[in-house]
Amino acid sequence: MALKLIAAPEDDPVTLAEAKAHLNVFGDDDDALIQRLIAAAAASLDGPYGDLGRCLVSQTWQMTLDAFPRGAIVMPLPPTISVLSLTYINSAGVEIVEQLDGTGDSPPVVSEVFRVSGLGTERATITAVTAWPSTSMRPEAITVTFKAGFAEFGDDLPQDLRNLVLARVGAAYAVRESTIIGIQQGANSETDAALDRYRMRGF
């Protein structure tokens, strides 16, 4: 499985004003720095390489597979907001595109070939309605395009995740010369608990 970011979040998990209030900063001299620290803190948590292994604010990704699995395709970076499409190269070498752009889960999103279940939960999946199609024996024969994240905008993120971002911004701002985001966090049992609660343990 390989993942590629198609469209980055359009909103930050916290605003500059919220970060400045958290830091007790009242002037504008450090605005550019604080904005960079917000981006770095979000990156340290977000996406496949972040500490959470999840998407925070809504973003679009592509997942490629060499073949259909024996069971379900389990969507990475939960929660999955929607599966936009599934493209595969069939055994004749023809590219087939299935549109799966529903966002609700009652009932599951269904095409003639695929079913999407569990949107908005910890485990969204794609399954075959009857059987997986035959595909070409070539790398990355299957491409799934999907949106993932807890919310469209940072204001709607769970508050403990927003606090986790602010804690990392605070740690980085306090020790700017030696801080490594994700390592220098300070002793904070609340944010440590949030990190443990939301961290994905793998698929």
Side-chain angles (χ1 to χ4, degrees), residues 74-191:
V74 179
M75 301 302 296
L77 309 176
T80 305
I81 297 171
S82 62
V83 178
L84 304 177
S85 66
L86 191 157
T87 301
Y88 65 97
I89 301 172
N90 69 15
S91 54
V94 178
E95 183 178 83
I96 307 296
V97 180
E98 292 280 343
Q99 298 298 327
L100 296 166
D101 55 0
T103 56
D105 196 36
S106 296
V109 182
V110 179
S111 74
E112 292 183 359
V113 183
F114 305 109
R115 177 184 292 109
V116 179
S117 304
L119 293 176
T121 71
E122 295 291 297
R123 187 180 169 87
T125 60
I126 303 174
T127 54
V129 172
T130 55
W132 294 117
S134 297
T135 58
S136 173
M137 299 296 291
R138 67 175 71 181
E140 301 184 348
I142 301 158
T143 301
V144 181
T145 304
F146 64 99
K147 291 180 67 176
F150 284 91
E152 289 289 338
F153 303 101
D155 288 349
D156 296 323
L157 279 177
Q159 191 59 52
D160 48 357
L161 286 177
R162 288 159 52 79
N163 289 342
L164 186 54
V165 174
L166 289 171
R168 293 199 169 187
V169 171
Y173 188 79
V175 194
R176 279 165 269 178
E177 287 75 21
S178 61
T179 296
I180 300 175
I181 293 290
I183 297 176
Q184 170 64 38
Q185 298 179 48
N188 187 322
S189 59
E190 179 184 349
T191 56

Side-chain angles (χ1 to χ4, degrees), residues 9-16 18 34-40 42-43 56-58 151-157 162 165:
E10 296 182 0
D11 197 24
D12 290 321
V14 299
T15 65
L16 176 62
E18 288 169 333
I34 295 169
Q35 196 68 62
R36 290 197 303 272
L37 295 181
I38 292 171
L56 298 177
V57 180
S58 176
E152 289 289 338
F153 303 101
D155 288 349
D156 296 323
L157 279 177
R162 288 159 52 79
V165 174

